[in-house]
Amino acid sequence: MAIAGDSTSQVTRLKGTKVQPKIDRRLPREFYARDPREVSRDLLGKVLLRSDDTGLRMGRIVELEAYLGEDDPAAHAAAGKTLRNAVLFGPPGHSYVYFIYGNHYCFNVSCLPDGIAGGVLFRALEPLIGIAEMARARGLSDNGNLRLLTSGPGRMAEAFGITRERDNGKDVTSTKSDLWIADDSYRPTQIVTTTRIGITKAAKLPLRFLIAGNPFVSGPRTTT
DNA sequence: TTATGGATTAGCT
DNA sequence: GCTAATCCATAAA
């Protein structure tokens, strides 16, 4: 049965009417200066934005994972501070982008005060604005399955043109940044917590957060 | 210096 | 369901 899902999209629902998306309400640095679990839960339903010479891209955050820092064996910070993971140890609200499996970038935001490691991995977005550009960046036609654009950490990074070279270390709270996170007043109806995906260490911890029933959450579409 | 495995995805059986 | 693709950080030697 095709429940249309818990789609969050004002923009697509109101197609045809003029909607002024609230893209300027950036989340402040204090928002990120907390435990990655709290930050993850509170980031669900917020929007990620990219503004560059291709225009504006915006997607609803529907799935995240918390990585707790030096005491979390699955976190990149577990090995201590290195050149690669230095952003995680720096001030909160900065983007940490790493390259994985020889093919993909993953996007994180640093949490906790300066000097204490921690971060959240962005795993899936619901595309809202700039869908044609996301499809172009992904090498797909823009009338195909929207899930293929931003459902999965590697996919959403590619759809937003996120790379380590371009974006690692950016301050996502700054008005000067072309990559930022805003609150457009949407509030998720139900949040679910599960174990994290694709890791072997500390695999049992409930540190994955998602919006229940949202069709853009990554992984196989079985039921719901 | 060499080996290994990873916070993934797409394409094929 | 299985695996190749393909880079890089880290461990082992």
Side-chain angles (χ1 to χ4, degrees), chain A residues 18-129:
Chain A
K18 254 304 191 210
V19 177
Q20 195 63 261
K22 299 172 205 162
I23 64 173
D24 290 329
R25 285 203 216 148
R26 293 177 194 236
L27 299 176
R29 191 166 322 287
E30 311 87 76
F31 181 93
Y32 303 100
R34 298 180 290 153
D35 186 295
R37 284 167 285 217
E38 293 178 45
V39 176
S40 296
R41 189 194 56 220
D42 293 346
L43 274 177
L44 285 174
K46 306 296 190 291
V47 289
L48 177 69
L49 298 110
R50 165 80 94 185
S51 178
D52 60 15
D53 56 12
T54 71
L56 180 70
R57 278 171 272 185
M58 169 169 138
R60 179 92 52 210
I61 300 164
V62 301
E63 179 186 353
L64 301 145
E65 284 177 0
Y67 286 85
L68 304 183
E70 292 185 86
D71 296 328
D72 177 358
H76 288 180
K81 185 174 177 178
T82 64
L83 187 61
R84 178 202 194 198
N85 66 18
V87 174
L88 293 174
F89 291 79
H94 289 255
S95 78
Y96 168 53
V97 182
Y98 65 88
F99 192 62
I100 191 69
Y101 295 122
N103 290 283
H104 309 287
Y105 290 97
C106 291
F107 171 69
N108 302 249
V109 174
S110 61
C111 298
L112 296 168
D114 192 4
I116 306 173
V120 298
L121 167 70
F122 285 56
R123 290 192 54 91
L125 304 174
E126 174 175 344
L128 299 177
I129 294 175

Side-chain angles (χ1 to χ4, degrees), chain A residues 178-205:
Chain A
D178 65 352
L179 186 66
W180 73 98
I181 298 161
D183 181 353
D184 71 345
S185 301
Y186 174 83
R187 294 292 177 268
T189 49
Q190 194 186 356
I191 291 171
V192 170
T193 307
T194 75
T195 54
R196 294 178 289 187
I197 304 286
I199 58 171
T200 53
K201 300 169 199 160
K204 298 274 180 65
L205 301 176

